[in-house]
């Protein structure tokens, strides 16, 4: 491949232009979780563990909603590429109806939360804080669904900067809200770790309202007239969107719940192990935002190019994303290893937690390479609307290969003299993500070979 060809440089430029606002937005959103963990950790180690467990319960639900919303960008970017702008508002509104319905269904889980948490053994104090945290966040699910809807509407049309600005404001607001509700301020009592849940719910609502106002008033989006005509719910279109989004949601869910289930399975090893695992997971998730943002950008570019029937340029966009993603992985992995002492000190001063987390961050550095390949490949398939294959392959990689490997190494002495605890599960992560990278990469190659003979025309837009 010629890295200096006009096609490669064009796609690299457009990918970077789309990616950096997405990256800032994703990093900022993830930093909210980091802020929650750090501020709860400085309040009490028990509260930090509770926030970690509560996050493990709520993040799969939020990722499922986000996955459904991620069906929208390839739909509307194809309409944009094929110059069918009149179809954008209808498709977007149906996605909004769908997300709202799903969020209300999730809200019905509220009474069952104590029963769900009782499946996992934990001390009473940890249980109550975790329960309160989950309840508060669950109440914000409808607002989160609608925020993801409007966010993906903007991003699908290549308008990524507003999300960046809104999430940065949300992060600043989150710090203030956390301080008020965790430690107490004025008439507000100190809620401890549960206060993170209250702050998160408030911030989500504020971000939804801000995005709604922007979308309604934006001159750049006025051409697509999202709110000019209100379309009624169209069941067939909602089903089509769900069929495209469900595999995406399940793909996200398979990866996220792999980490969430591990956090819950580590509860018998005590709060120290859970806290160390959460630090390593929290930071590695932060680094994951780099390839994830690149993946989100390439799905938009692939959808746009496919809408133009330009499969050759779509393949070039994928190659550009993989090259950039792997180069960034080298940098983030190096930073993780070299700076692990400084990283951990931001979270805690507990010596036992520091020692355990230090070892786990080595594993976190190793899986960043396969993580970059698998997430860019998965989002490429989303751009091609080949989401069913993504669903099957990630399920097999994460749950049939990765998790069992982690359980064998972390909880048994079948291979090692004693259970490796958290380290064993992190080795399982590496195995699962590497398997996903290979299988998803091969699927992308098969699709590109299939489209290689499709005639393309030169696009009028880039």
């Amino acid at each position: 491949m010629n890295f200096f060809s006009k096609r490669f440089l064009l796609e690299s430029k457009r990918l970077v232009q789309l990616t950096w606002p997405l990256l800032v937005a994703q990093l900022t959103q993830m930093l909210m979780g980091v802020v929650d963990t750090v501020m709860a950790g400085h309040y009490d180690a028990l509260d930090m563990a509770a926030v970690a467990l509560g996050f493990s319960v709520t993040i799969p639900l939020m990722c499922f909603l986000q996955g459904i919303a991620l069906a929208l960008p390839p739909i509307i970017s194809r309409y944009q590429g094929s110059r069918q702008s009149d179809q954008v508002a209808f498709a977007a509104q149906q996605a909004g109806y769908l997300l709202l319905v799903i969020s209300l269904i999730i809200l019905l889980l509220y009474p069952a939360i104590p029963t769900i948490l009782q499946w996992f053994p934990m001390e009473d104090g940890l249980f109550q804080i975790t329960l309160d945290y989950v309840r508060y966040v669950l109440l914000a699910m409808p607002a989160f669904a609608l925020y993801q809807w409007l966010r993906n509407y903007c991003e699908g049309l290549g308008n990524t900067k507003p999300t960046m600005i809104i999430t940065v404001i949300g992060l600043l607001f989150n710090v203030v809200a956390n301080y008020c509700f965790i430690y107490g301020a004025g008439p507000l009592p100190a809620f401890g770790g549960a206060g993170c849940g209250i702050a998160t719910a408030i911030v989500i609502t504020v971000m939804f309202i801000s995005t709604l106002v922007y979308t309604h008033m934006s001159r750049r989006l006025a051409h697509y007239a999202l709110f000019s005509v209100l379309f009624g719910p169209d069941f067939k279109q909602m089903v089509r969107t769900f069929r495209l989004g469900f595999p995406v949601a399940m793909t996200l869910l398979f990866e996220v719940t792999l980490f969430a289930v591990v956090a819950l399975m580590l509860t018998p090893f005590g709060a120290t192990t859970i806290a160390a695992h959460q630090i390593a997971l929290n930071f590695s998730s932060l680094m994951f935002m780099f390839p994830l943002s690149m993946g989100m950008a390439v799905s938009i570019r692939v959808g746009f190019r496919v809408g133009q029937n330009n499969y050759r340029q779509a393949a070039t966009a994928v190659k550009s994303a993989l090259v950039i993603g792997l180069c960034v992985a080298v940098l983030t992995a190096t930073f993780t290893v070299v700076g692990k002492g400084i990283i951990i000190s931001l979270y805690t001063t507990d010596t036992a937690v520091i020692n355990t987390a230090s070892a786990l961050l080595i594993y976190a550095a190793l899986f960043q390479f396969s993580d970059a390949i698998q997430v860019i490949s998965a989002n490429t398939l989303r751009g091609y609307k080949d989401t069913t294959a993504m669903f099957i392959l990630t399920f097999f990689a994460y749950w049939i290969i990765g998790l069992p490997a982690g359980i064998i190494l972390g909880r048994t002495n079948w291979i090692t003299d004693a259970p490796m605890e958290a380290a064993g599960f992190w080795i399982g992560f590496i195995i699962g993500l590497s398997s996903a990278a290979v299988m998803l990469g091969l699927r992308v190659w098969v699709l590109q070979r299939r489209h290689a003979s499709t005639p393309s025309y030169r696009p009028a837009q880039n």
Side-chain angles (χ1 to χ4, degrees):
M1 178 179 58
N2 184 359
F3 294 101
F4 299 101
S5 69
K6 290 184 178 180
R7 287 193 298 271
F8 185 88
L9 293 175
L10 170 63
E11 289 303 331
S12 296
K13 178 182 177 181
R14 291 296 295 126
L15 282 169
V16 170
Q17 289 173 339
L18 285 172
T19 297
W20 78 263
L22 289 172
L23 174 60
V24 174
Q26 290 298 124
L27 284 172
T28 303
Q29 187 171 315
M30 186 54 62
L31 276 171
M32 293 183 191
V34 174
V35 167
D36 287 352
T37 304
V38 171
M39 295 184 75
H42 285 288
Y43 184 81
D44 188 271
L46 185 69
D47 289 81
M48 179 178 174
V51 170
L53 291 173
F55 183 79
S56 297
V57 172
T58 56
I59 195 63
L61 300 173
M62 299 174 82
C63 280
F64 183 81
L65 286 169
Q66 186 176 13
I68 298 296
L70 283 170
L72 187 56
I75 293 173
I76 60 178
S77 65
R78 283 199 183 193
Y79 283 136
Q80 186 185 37
S82 59
R83 299 186 177 184
Q84 299 181 67
S85 300
D86 56 314
Q87 298 295 317
V88 169
F90 172 75
Q93 287 187 24
Q94 301 312 310
Y97 289 133
L98 176 63
L99 283 161
L100 183 59
V101 170
I102 294 173
S103 69
L104 294 176
I105 293 172
I106 290 174
L107 199 56
L108 296 177
L109 293 174
Y110 189 90
I113 297 172
T115 303
I116 294 171
L117 292 180
Q118 285 171 357
W119 294 346
F120 306 96
M122 65 183 80
E123 55 186 281
D124 292 342
L126 185 61
F127 176 86
Q128 188 58 50
I129 300 171
T130 304
L131 175 62
D132 292 340
Y133 175 93
V134 174
R135 280 175 165 168
Y136 291 131
V137 174
L138 203 66
L139 291 174
M141 285 297 171
F144 180 78
L146 294 175
Y147 164 68
Q148 288 296 330
W149 166 54
L150 293 173
R151 171 183 173 171
N152 280 278
Y153 168 75
C154 294
E155 292 175 359
L157 296 173
N159 197 17
T160 56
K161 291 182 181 178
T163 297
M164 175 189 71
I165 295 169
I166 289 169
T167 50
V168 168
I169 294 171
L171 174 63
L172 298 176
F173 190 84
N174 188 53
V175 173
V176 176
N178 266 343
Y179 180 83
C180 293
F181 289 102
I182 294 174
Y183 301 99
L188 292 174
F191 288 90
C196 289
I198 300 174
T200 297
I202 294 173
V203 170
I204 287 172
T205 304
V206 169
M207 290 171 65
F208 158 59
I209 294 172
S210 301
T211 310
L212 177 64
V213 171
Y214 168 78
T215 306
H216 184 68
M217 298 181 65
S218 172
R219 291 183 179 179
R220 182 173 178 179
L221 298 176
H223 172 68
Y224 302 100
L226 178 61
F227 300 110
S228 295
V229 177
L230 181 62
F231 297 96
D234 185 297
F235 183 73
K236 290 183 179 180
Q237 179 62 32
M238 290 169 66
V239 168
R240 283 194 290 268
T241 304
F242 182 79
R243 285 178 176 172
L244 179 62
F246 179 76
V248 179
M250 294 306 295
T251 300
L252 283 176
L253 203 59
F254 290 151
E255 183 171 355
V256 170
T257 51
L258 179 66
F259 296 100
V261 168
V262 167
L264 295 170
M265 293 187 72
L266 287 174
T267 53
F269 298 115
T272 296
T273 300
I274 296 172
H277 168 75
Q278 182 62 18
I279 289 171
L281 177 59
N282 211 273
F283 181 77
S284 61
S285 298
L286 196 63
M287 295 299 98
F288 175 65
M289 295 303 104
F290 288 88
L292 175 61
S293 300
M294 180 59 65
M296 294 169 70
V298 80
S299 73
I300 295 170
R301 291 302 294 169
V302 168
F304 182 77
R305 291 305 192 187
V306 170
Q308 294 180 324
N309 199 36
N310 194 339
Y311 289 96
R312 183 179 182 183
Q313 195 68 6
T316 301
V318 177
K319 293 176 183 177
S320 302
L322 287 170
V323 169
I324 297 171
L326 286 173
C327 289
V328 172
V330 172
L331 298 176
T332 57
T334 302
F335 175 69
T336 303
V337 174
V338 174
K340 65 181 189 298
I342 298 172
I343 294 164
I344 298 169
S345 67
L346 297 174
Y347 290 87
T348 184
T349 56
D350 187 300
T351 304
V353 176
I354 290 172
N355 292 336
T356 305
S358 181
L360 297 182
L361 279 177
I362 300 297
Y363 296 115
L366 290 174
F367 78 28
Q368 289 177 28
F369 298 97
S370 55
D371 216 9
I373 296 172
Q374 69 89 19
V375 74
I376 290 172
S377 298
N379 277 278
T380 296
L381 295 178
R382 183 163 65 89
Y384 281 116
K385 292 189 175 181
D386 186 41
T387 55
T388 301
M390 178 176 62
F391 165 79
I392 296 170
L393 295 177
T394 52
F395 173 78
F396 189 81
Y398 302 150
W399 288 88
I400 306 301
I401 298 176
L403 183 59
I407 293 172
I408 291 171
L409 294 171
R411 294 289 294 266
T412 75
N413 59 357
W414 295 356
I415 296 177
T416 55
D417 293 334
M420 295 179 68
E421 299 185 8
F425 283 102
W426 278 77
I427 294 173
F429 293 160
I430 295 172
I431 294 171
L433 291 170
S434 298
S435 302
V438 171
M439 292 188 288
L440 291 169
L442 286 173
R443 179 61 182 177
V444 170
W445 180 78
V446 168
L447 276 181
Q448 290 178 340
R449 293 275 294 179
R450 187 179 298 169
H451 292 305
S453 60
T454 302
S456 300
Y457 66 83
R458 287 189 177 273
Q461 311 171 54
N462 61 19

